[in-house]
Structure formats: C-alpha cells, structure tokens
Amino acid sequence: MCIGFAGLVDSAAFAQESAPAVPAQDPPAAAAPATPAPVAAAPAAPATVDACQQRILQQQQMARALQNLREPITVLDKNEAAKLRRDYTKLVADGYSAEADSKKVKDYLQFMLLRVTDPEFSAVPSNLQNLLKDVESDMQRAAGNVGNPATQQNARRKFCGDVLEVTKQLLTNSFDSRVTAVSVLKHLHETKAVPGGSAARMHAESLTTLLSVLESDQQPDAVKVFAADAIRNVLRNCDILETDQFRICDGIAKQLADRCSESAYQQTLLEVLFEIRRPRKTIGSNEPTVMKVFASVLDDRQRPIEVRCLAAMGIGRGAYDGQMRLDPLAWKIAQLAGDAAVEFNRSPGDARWPACGASLVFAYRHASAEEAVAAPADRKGLLNRSTGAAPSKVIAESANLVKVVGLGLLKNSDALTREEVLPLAEWLNANKPAELKWDDRLPALTP
C-alpha cells in the first residue's frame, strides 16, 4: 500500500480522496460493554462486503429473538423463599457437604437467579443490579466461618459449583438471562483475594463455562461481548494458570479469525488480550500468545481501521519476549498509520478517530513513568522495548512519523495536510524491510 499512499500524498486531491467508509464506532466500555452497533468491514471485494453484512444481520436477528424470548422458569414463591433464606445464609457461611443441604442452597439460588427469566422482573434495571450485588456479597462471605484454609477452599468450591449449576440454566434463556449469567460467573472465586497479598483463584469450571459461551454458535455476538469482558475481568482480578491463559488466548483468537464480526466486538476481544501475562506458549508449538493475534489483526487490511489501531497498541503493550523481532512490526504500524491518514481525511470529526489516534501514539510510548522503567518484559511502548547498546533506528524513526498521524486523529478536526504525511509516505517506501518475519515460529507479515 505504501506506493498508493505516496501517490495520494503527491495528489492535489489528497485531502478529498475517498473510499467506502466504515461507520463510526465508539471504543467499547471498560466494565460493561454495550451490544455492538452495526458495522461492516471494508474489504476489497463487494461480495465480501455482502457476506459480512449478511453475517451481521444474522447476529442482530439472533439477539432480537433472544430479547423477545418469553420462557420464564417457575421458582419458589416469595413466602417459601423467605422460609429458606435463614438456612441458606447459614449454610453458605458455615460450609456444607450433605446432599440435603446442597438442595436447600440450590433451591434458594434458583429463586434468586432464575427470576431473571421473568420479563417483568428483568425489565426493572434495579432488580438485576441488586441480584448481582447479592451474588457478589454471598461469594464474599462464602465459608467465612470456616477457619481451616483447605476446608474453606473446598467449601467455597462446593458453593461455586452449586451456583454454576443453577446459572447454566440462564444461558439458554432470554438475552437478559444470558447476560446476567455471564455477570454471575465472573464472581465465582473458589479462593478469595487477600488484601495486599495473593489474588483470587477462579473456579475452574466457571472459567470453562465462560469460554464455552465464546465458542458456542448458539450465542450471538451481542452475548459473547459480555462474556469477553467478563473474562477480561477475571484476568485482571484473579491468579490464572498459564495453561488457562493459553486457552483464553486461543479462544479469543478463534473469535477474531472472523473479520466479519462487528468492530465493537473485535475491539473488546482485543482488549482481553492486553491482560494475558504469558508471552509465549510453554507447551506445544512454543509460539507467541497475544502478539501472534495482535500481529495478525494489524496485518489484515480488510478489517475496520479502528480495530487495527487497537491491535497496533497491543504490539507495544502486550506480553512479549526477546525472541520477537520488533522492527517488522514497527514498519507495519507505520503502514497502518498511512492507511489511517487516508481514511481519516475522508471523514475528519468521526467519533472513532481519537481512540484510534491514541492507540497509534501508545503503540510506541508509555502511559506512566513506571511503564518506562519496569523490567524489560514489562515495559510498555516500542520505544521502551527497543533499548540497549543499539536501539532500533526503524522504531525511533517510525515513532515520530506515526505520532504526527496519531495526534492529528486525536485532535480530530481538520484533515491532515500533504506536508504532515509526505515524510511518512517517503519513509515507508525507503525503509521497507527485506523480510517481514518477526518470529521464527510464525510466517512473515504481508508487504
């Protein structure tokens, strides 16, 4: 593309040059992602566009069908539940193992959770909010009266299993039921966090269930986006085994392999990968984990530009190691900046540009002083990762050129001028690497 970019730069019509636009997308919310808004990628062939639009319409139809679903599950009435509440509260705090006690706990959990399948109940936002607060509170106090750590963990694991058993019934019901189920699952910690000490440990089967939501063809992307955000929450707040981190990374990569999913969903998936801490698989192929996915998305010029920008930031901030060669990736980010400049000049002022510009800037730079001086593996920004006796010239030069585009997108007002982008176009043509292979375990990037 660098020759085409240079051609546009040299054209008097650069600022007005246009191509099919991708609809605006706000970046997904950090804590509770919204249902993705319709967006089509901008691939080269019209037939591909039609296929993507058709898939998005199918996903929207699936979501609407679930929103209209009315299949309430019968639960205890309030009076029966009130009688059971005292026993439930005591059993959760003291721990239990007898089947009769487990039945009492599950009977009350069914009353508490399965009410979400009642449209009248779920139509009141405060009902859902209070329900989730109750679940979180119960998890906090689970086995609180058990002194022995091993016994306490077993008791909490038993309670998590019973909550999971009831919650799974929500995953085949209405849209609100499924989203609530996902929100419940992320709170199921079989080991509590110790303030100032160890992190929580996720209930293994609950994590597997969250991943199964991502993998299921029976779940629309509008539900999966909540599952992805829940998994990100788990990675942030729990001590996750490296094998589970690999599973999560593979599950996210499989979802991102479909470039026809909506931009907001793709961005939420990418944001999960920022929380993976293992840079390379230690079993099997020994290939990179998240960097493989970031590089693949960055390299795919048929994806929405804002998705590729976020992947570029992942290159500078995701888990990496010294076996990876960063120069080819930096050149690809510079190429992306050229793509972004062309597309930005078609629609300056579009709401998606500031986030895209920030992603380009922070692909190279740290967001806090601590990130710049951390241990080498934990440094953020390509400029901080390119250190030593011979810092990378490719990274240093491309950083300044990409910054011009990134700041223009952040400002998001006037189109970029020829003088602002000509140096980037010339640099791309003059500095194209002889080979774009960035890791010995993976194929080279495309020119």
Side-chain angles (χ1 to χ4, degrees):
M1 181 270 182
C2 55
I3 295 176
F5 175 47
L8 286 177
V9 170
D10 288 336
S11 168
F14 168 69
Q16 289 77 34
E17 190 70 26
S18 64
V22 180
Q25 294 290 317
D26 293 327
T35 302
V39 60
T48 306
V49 174
D50 292 341
C52 285
Q53 290 174 340
Q54 182 178 10
R55 183 197 179 281
I56 289 171
L57 288 172
Q58 290 171 342
Q59 288 293 314
Q60 293 172 348
Q61 289 168 358
M62 285 181 65
R64 280 195 295 271
L66 293 181
Q67 289 166 346
N68 295 327
L69 185 64
R70 299 290 185 269
E71 293 184 359
I73 300 175
T74 302
V75 297
L76 297 174
D77 65 34
K78 289 183 179 180
N79 292 332
E80 292 175 314
K83 295 177 184 178
L84 198 55
R85 172 70 185 176
R86 182 175 179 180
D87 286 347
Y88 167 82
T89 300
K90 187 174 189 306
L91 289 168
V92 170
D94 293 348
Y96 58 92
S97 58
E99 188 58 35
D101 290 336
S102 182
K103 184 179 185 306
K104 288 182 179 179
V105 169
K106 285 187 282 190
D107 283 348
Y108 189 81
L109 286 169
Q110 287 175 343
F111 166 76
M112 184 166 65
L113 295 173
L114 300 187
R115 289 178 295 170
V116 181
T117 64
D118 181 351
E120 292 185 6
F121 179 88
S122 60
V124 180
S126 61
N127 286 342
L128 301 179
Q129 294 166 4
N130 291 333
L131 184 154
L132 292 174
K133 287 179 181 178
D134 288 343
V135 170
E136 190 172 3
S137 175
D138 288 348
M139 277 309 312
Q140 284 294 317
R141 64 185 186 81
N145 294 339
V146 179
N148 182 277
T151 305
Q152 184 185 76
Q153 183 177 26
N154 288 334
R156 287 180 63 86
R157 185 181 296 125
K158 171 63 175 170
F159 180 58
C160 286
D162 286 346
V163 177
L164 174 62
E165 182 180 331
V166 175
T167 302
K168 280 183 176 180
Q169 298 178 62
L170 299 176
L171 289 172
T172 55
N173 207 278
S174 66
F175 183 84
D176 285 334
S177 298
R178 297 178 192 216
V179 171
T180 299
V182 165
S183 297
V184 168
L185 292 176
K186 71 182 180 184
H187 292 301
L188 301 188
H189 301 162
E190 64 180 38
T191 302
K192 290 176 63 175
V194 177
S198 59
R201 177 65 60 87
M202 181 71 177
H203 181 244
E205 293 178 20
S206 298
L207 177 58
T208 297
T209 302
L210 277 175
L211 286 169
S212 73
V213 173
L214 279 185
E215 296 166 359
S216 175
D217 292 336
Q218 303 306 309
Q219 301 289 357
D221 291 352
V223 171
K224 292 182 180 183
V225 71
F226 285 91
D229 191 73
I231 292 170
R232 180 175 60 169
N233 180 279
V234 169
L235 286 166
R236 283 179 172 176
N237 295 292
C238 298
D239 179 17
I240 302 298
L241 297 173
E242 69 171 21
T243 51
D244 286 332
Q245 292 188 47
F246 301 155
R247 289 171 59 209
I248 291 170
C249 189
D250 289 344
I252 296 295
K254 185 175 180 181
Q255 289 298 300
L256 282 167
D258 184 355
R259 66 163 64 98
C260 284
S261 59
E262 297 184 39
S263 172
Y265 179 43
Q266 293 186 47
Q267 290 177 83
T268 300
L269 291 168
L270 287 171
E271 288 183 341
V272 177
L273 299 181
F274 282 71
E275 308 301 330
I276 297 288
R277 295 180 280 278
R278 298 294 183 179
R280 190 174 294 271
K281 291 185 176 180
T282 54
I283 54 176
S285 60
N286 195 35
E287 65 184 19
T289 54
V290 300
M291 205 65 73
K292 174 184 176 180
V293 187
F294 287 137
S296 175
V297 173
L298 169 67
D299 199 31
D300 185 353
R301 299 171 79 180
Q302 291 184 305
R303 290 186 188 266
I305 200 78
E306 63 271 26
V307 174
R308 296 178 63 211
C309 285
L310 188 58
M313 185 164 71
I315 298 295
R317 301 185 67 81
Y320 91 110
D321 62 25
Q323 298 180 51
M324 304 172 194
R325 294 182 285 276
L326 299 178
D327 279 10
L329 295 166
W331 188 87
K332 288 296 295 187
I333 293 173
Q335 184 191 57
L336 165 63
D339 291 350
V342 172
E343 192 160 334
F344 171 73
N345 275 14
R346 295 188 314 229
S347 58
D350 195 306
R352 62 192 164 132
W353 293 125
C356 191
S359 292
L360 291 174
V361 171
F362 288 110
Y364 287 90
R365 290 167 170 81
H366 52 273
S368 67
E370 292 76 13
E371 292 180 350
V373 297
D378 295 325
R379 291 177 188 169
K380 307 300 183 185
L382 291 177
L383 287 169
N384 297 312
R385 293 178 170 183
S386 172
T387 58
S392 166
K393 181 181 178 182
V394 169
I395 290 176
E397 292 180 349
S398 63
N400 290 328
L401 297 167
V402 171
K403 180 181 178 182
V404 173
V405 175
L407 293 178
L409 271 57
L410 273 166
K411 185 179 178 183
N412 197 22
S413 55
D414 298 329
L416 293 164
T417 65
R418 178 181 183 278
E419 289 72 21
E420 287 175 307
V421 295
L422 179 58
L424 173 60
E426 293 177 338
W427 184 90
L428 282 168
N429 283 325
N431 291 275
K432 180 179 176 181
E435 184 181 38
L436 286 169
K437 191 172 181 65
W438 64 277
D439 191 274
D440 291 337
R441 298 285 179 174
L442 299 171
L445 302 166
T446 58

